[in-house]
């Protein structure tokens, strides 16, 4: 714990993180002009244009038709993202990325983004003690660090009076991502109280589910690196196949259960002090308002005490294998009813034994959300729980396995008639900078990251040895101390044996002088070897 405190104290002095609505673009002037092209501090020009990093240009959105699941137009700020807010943004060049082109594209590093490096996401139980402490410390720092440069929207564009009354709020780095997950999955507000359209989700229930969450994790990982200055950091994954319990629910990871209240986190974990945001979807719908980022109570979790009618338990290896065997990425209406769809089955609405959509019981990805029985059961608020990161990293690894096995062409990702927000060329809400769904329908290796269990066996062996040496490195002071103590004890024993030997030799000589036949002396030396639904109690 002392190490965690020292790490947190040190990295608080580092540069704050960036994401979502840039503060420079949350002004009346920016909203009225519909231009979000912030200045890159490196050369004082918009989008770093003077340095050739990017240019400020018009946003061109796809005009391909959407599916019938959302029968409205012009009512939701996420439609044709980001045009309701901005129609001019930075387009970054070469290997640059970011709202002002001040960052490097995924997988690129260095001051000029010229260094390409592959990062490896490890299984959480492969992390060394130091790596586990870093993970917890970094997440806790992100939870308690207010972004100085980015804000969240607390009202719709209409409530902002079309830009003349900006409604934005400060938020922590961690909660920024919680809010984004809420915002992409929230109900569409049709005006007034208790008047929403629930059959829409710009990041779930359709083809964009996997690309959207891939970008989401990459951005989260990227922002934690910037916050801490540790560009070797990667989000670990939890391989939950065939698990019978929440194996990661320990105090040296995401927190065990409180003995006083099984719905709460143990006070021995830093996560017990966390407060959730954006967790009251029914309340927002009833009042016709957006989540405003205010704290709403403690983090809740009671794994395994879920509604068995919703999900049987955690996914099995056989279910994962069946899902990976489905050759079509998405099918039919490309929603929760899709049959024999890899995406729908992995997301959890297709039966992982038959592939039939609209399954009466949730499976795969959704089953784990139900199993955790608490904050994770709310689609909109599930990112409040750090289990979300470990879970979705493993879901992303299954997506990666499927891409490598089937090697689909980009044209296999739908360009039209998917539910709104999910066509190939649609920009993902609510990301700024902009990302398109179809651009992330490709291997993680093209984005500079890999999963440890997907590496070739030889490389896995090298990784395991490196992990072992890292752990031994932490034990080195103890091993050195033990070696020194052993040396002292050995020296003392040697001195004692030497004295005993000399004494025995003297006795032998005396006996030899008084007897014709010498005594036969024998010495024996002995040694020791060492809902997705509401919580149930």
């Amino acid at each position: 714990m002392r190490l965690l405190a020292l790490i947190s104290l040190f990295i608080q002095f580092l540069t704050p993180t960036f994401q979502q609505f840039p503060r420079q673009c949350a002004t009346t002037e920016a909203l009225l002009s519909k231009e979000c092209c912030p200045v890159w501090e490196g050369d004082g020009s918009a989008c770093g244009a003077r340095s050739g990093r990017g240019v400020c240009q018009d946003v061109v959105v796809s005009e391909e038709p959407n599916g019938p699941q959302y029968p409205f137009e012009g009512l939701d700020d996420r439609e044709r993202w980001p045009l309701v807010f901005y129609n001019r943004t930075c387009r970054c060049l070469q290997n640059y990325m970011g709202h002002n082109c001040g960052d490097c594209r995924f997988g690129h590093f260095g001051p000029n983004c010229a260094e390409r490096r592959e990062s490896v996401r490890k299984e959480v139980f492969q992390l060394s003690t130091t790596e586990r402490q870093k993970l917890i410390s970094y997440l806790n720092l992100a939870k308690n660090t207010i972004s100085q440069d980015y804000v969240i929207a607390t009202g719709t564009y209409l409530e902002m009076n079309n830009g003349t009354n900006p409604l934005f709020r400060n938020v922590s780095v961690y909660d920024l991502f919680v809010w984004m997950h809420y915002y992409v999955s929230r109900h569409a507000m049709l005006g007034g109280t208790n008047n929403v359209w629930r059959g829409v989700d710009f990041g779930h229930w359709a083809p964009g589910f996997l690309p959207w969450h891939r970008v989401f994790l990459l951005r989260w990982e990227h922002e934690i690196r910037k916050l801490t200055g540790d560009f070797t950091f990667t989000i670990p994954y939890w391989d939950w196949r065939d698990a019978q319990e929440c194996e990661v629910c320990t105090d040296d990871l995401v927190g065990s259960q409180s003995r006083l209240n099984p719905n709460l986190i143990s006070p021995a974990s830093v996560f017990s002090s966390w407060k959730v945001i954006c967790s009251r979807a029914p309340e927002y719908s009833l009042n016709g308002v957006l989540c405003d980022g205010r704290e709403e109570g403690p983090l809740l979790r009671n794994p395994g005490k879920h509604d068995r009618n919703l999900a049987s338990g955690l996914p099995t290896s056989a279910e994962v294998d069946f899902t990976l065997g489905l050759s079509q990425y998405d099918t039919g209406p490309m929603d929760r009813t899709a049959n024999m769809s890899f995406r729908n089955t992995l997301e959890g609405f297709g039966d992982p034994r038959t592939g039939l959509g609209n399954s009466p019981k949730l499976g795969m990805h959704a089953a784990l959300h139900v199993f955790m029985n608490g904050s994770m059961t709310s689609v909109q608020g599930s990112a409040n729980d750090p289990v979300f990161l470990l879970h979705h990293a493993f879901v992303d690894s299954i997506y990666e396995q499927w891409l490598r096995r089937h090697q689909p062409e980009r044209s296999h990702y739908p360009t039209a008639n998917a539910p709104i927000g999910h066509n190939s060329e649609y920009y993902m809400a609510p990301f700024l900078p902009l990302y398109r769904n179809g651009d992330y329908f490709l291997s993680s290796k093209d984005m500079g990251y890999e999963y440890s269990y997907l590496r070739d066996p030889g490389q896995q062996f090298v990784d395991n040895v490196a992990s072992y040496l890292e752990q031994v490195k932490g034990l080195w002071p103890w091993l050195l101390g033990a070696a020194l103590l052993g040396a002292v004890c050995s020296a003392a024993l040697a001195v004692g044996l030497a004295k005993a030997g000399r004494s025995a030799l003297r006795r032998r000589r005396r006996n030899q002088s008084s007897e014709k036949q010498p005594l036969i002396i024998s010495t024996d030396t002995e040694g020791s070897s060492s809902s997705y639904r509401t919580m149930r109690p």
Side-chain angles (χ1 to χ4, degrees):
M1 296 302 294
R2 182 177 299 174
L3 177 60
L4 292 180
L6 288 173
I7 293 174
S8 296
L9 181 63
F10 170 72
I11 54 187
Q12 283 183 37
F13 294 100
L14 299 176
T15 304
T17 187
F18 311 113
Q19 179 68 16
Q20 200 32 41
F21 287 95
R23 195 175 296 276
Q24 301 98 310
C25 301
T27 64
T28 299
E29 180 183 4
L31 291 171
L32 290 177
S33 68
K34 288 187 173 292
E35 181 172 294
C36 182
C37 293
V39 168
W40 177 54
E41 298 83 356
D43 66 6
S45 67
C47 310
R50 291 197 189 108
S51 302
R53 286 177 168 255
V55 294
C56 183
Q57 69 174 28
D58 294 344
V59 176
V60 179
V61 301
S62 172
E63 298 294 340
E64 293 293 334
N66 300 308
Q69 294 86 353
Y70 178 72
F72 308 101
E73 185 176 351
L75 291 178
D76 194 293
D77 292 347
R78 298 166 296 182
E79 296 176 32
R80 307 179 77 228
W81 180 263
L83 294 188
V84 169
F85 291 99
Y86 313 108
N87 57 27
R88 283 176 64 80
T89 63
C90 290
R91 182 174 73 86
C92 301
L93 307 173
Q94 302 178 64
N95 294 327
Y96 300 112
M97 183 184 75
H99 66 285
N100 62 357
C101 302
D103 295 339
C104 297
R105 287 175 54 194
F106 303 129
H108 291 80
F109 301 85
N112 297 315
C113 302
E115 177 189 351
R116 182 164 177 79
R117 188 168 74 235
E118 184 175 89
S119 303
V120 179
R121 291 180 180 171
K122 296 181 181 179
E123 217 276 341
V124 69
F125 296 108
Q126 292 179 339
L127 299 181
S128 67
T129 300
T130 300
E131 288 170 331
R132 289 192 187 193
Q133 290 175 334
K134 277 186 179 181
L135 173 67
I136 297 171
S137 179
Y138 289 178
L139 293 180
N140 199 45
L141 179 74
K143 181 70 172 180
N144 292 285
T145 302
I146 297 296
S147 173
Q148 298 301 305
D149 295 273
Y150 280 73
V151 291
I152 61 171
T154 60
T156 65
Y157 193 71
L158 181 62
E159 291 172 326
M160 295 184 194
N161 195 26
N162 298 324
T164 61
N165 179 36
L167 296 173
F168 297 97
R169 177 185 174 88
N170 290 331
V171 71
S172 77
V173 174
Y174 188 98
D175 286 346
L176 190 59
F177 286 89
V178 177
W179 181 87
M180 283 194 290
H181 194 264
Y182 150 78
Y183 191 83
V184 76
S185 58
R186 67 173 175 81
H187 300 148
M189 295 189 294
L190 306 181
T193 60
N194 203 23
N195 185 23
V196 299
W197 184 259
R198 291 177 171 81
V200 63
D201 192 312
F202 284 71
H204 301 79
W205 311 343
F209 167 70
L210 292 168
W212 191 93
H213 284 82
R214 171 158 284 192
V215 171
F216 188 57
L217 291 186
L218 282 167
R219 288 300 305 181
W220 210 332
E221 193 171 68
H222 181 75
E223 297 304 325
I224 289 178
R225 288 173 175 176
K226 290 172 65 178
L227 172 66
T228 62
D230 181 359
F231 283 85
T232 66
F233 171 79
T234 56
I235 294 173
Y237 62 91
W238 171 30
D239 184 346
W240 34 246
R241 289 174 294 184
D242 303 315
Q244 300 300 309
E245 59 186 14
C246 181
E247 300 166 336
V248 296
C249 295
T250 60
D251 287 334
D252 65 336
L253 287 173
V254 298
S256 62
Q257 288 178 285
S258 168
R259 294 182 179 180
L260 299 178
N261 184 341
N263 295 327
L264 299 178
I265 309 299
S266 164
S269 168
V270 297
F271 302 116
S272 64
S273 64
W274 280 27
K275 298 296 186 292
V276 301
I277 67 169
C278 302
S279 65
R280 299 174 179 172
E283 181 179 315
Y284 311 141
S285 297
L286 180 64
N287 296 323
V289 298
L290 290 180
C291 162
D292 62 5
R294 297 179 191 273
E295 294 180 348
E296 298 173 341
L299 181 63
L300 301 176
R301 192 195 303 145
N302 194 349
K305 302 300 187 294
H306 59 288
D307 187 343
R308 300 282 170 166
N309 292 320
L310 289 173
S312 298
L314 294 173
T316 66
S317 296
E319 291 170 340
V320 172
D321 291 341
F322 175 87
T323 303
L324 284 168
L326 296 170
S327 61
Q328 293 180 279
Y329 180 72
D330 223 335
T331 62
M334 297 175 279
D335 56 20
R336 286 174 288 182
T337 67
N339 294 322
M340 308 307 291
S341 157
F342 166 73
R343 186 277 314 163
N344 196 38
T345 306
L346 178 54
E347 190 169 359
F349 303 108
D351 190 311
R353 293 161 296 180
T354 66
L356 297 180
N358 227 11
S359 174
K361 280 193 175 184
L362 298 174
M364 297 297 286
H365 151 263
L368 188 133
H369 279 272
V370 173
F371 178 87
M372 298 311 297
N373 192 36
S375 300
M376 280 276 283
T377 62
S378 163
V379 177
Q380 297 178 10
S382 56
N384 277 292
D385 193 330
V387 171
F388 180 98
L389 285 165
L390 310 182
H391 170 43
H392 271 273
F394 190 59
V395 171
D396 184 72
S397 79
I398 297 174
Y399 174 40
E400 181 61 24
Q401 284 191 72
W402 185 87
L403 288 169
R404 295 185 191 183
R405 178 182 298 188
H406 299 281
Q407 300 196 0
E409 298 291 336
R410 176 167 171 154
S411 60
H412 290 187
Y413 188 97
T415 58
N417 300 314
I420 188 170
H422 293 265
N423 285 340
S424 175
E425 303 307 300
Y426 212 103
Y427 289 115
M428 302 176 183
F431 290 113
L432 289 170
L434 302 175
Y435 304 96
R436 292 182 296 193
N437 292 309
D439 291 341
Y440 294 87
F441 189 62
L442 77 168
S443 174
S444 67
K445 296 180 77 66
D446 293 315
M447 285 161 271
Y449 74 100
E450 170 69 292
Y451 287 96
S452 60
Y453 80 107
L454 298 183
R455 308 187 92 181
D456 64 79
Q459 189 60 52
Q460 286 188 48
F461 174 77
V462 172
D463 292 342
N464 290 337
V465 170
S467 178
Y468 172 77
L469 292 176
E470 179 67 23
Q471 301 225 28
V472 169
K473 181 180 177 182
L475 295 174
W476 178 247
W478 298 96
L479 295 175
L480 180 59
L484 291 174
L485 180 61
V488 171
C489 292
S490 296
L493 181 61
V495 171
L497 290 174
K499 289 182 178 178
R502 286 193 295 270
S503 177
L505 181 61
R506 283 194 296 269
R507 288 196 302 271
R508 180 180 175 185
R509 287 174 176 172
R510 285 196 300 268
N511 290 334
Q512 283 180 334
S513 62
S514 59
E515 296 181 9
K516 293 183 179 178
Q517 296 295 330
L519 296 177
I520 299 176
I521 301 175
S522 175
T523 303
D524 293 329
T525 303
E526 295 183 3
S528 60
S529 61
S530 60
S531 153
Y532 288 158
R533 277 298 186 276
T534 53
M535 173 178 289
R536 299 179 64 200

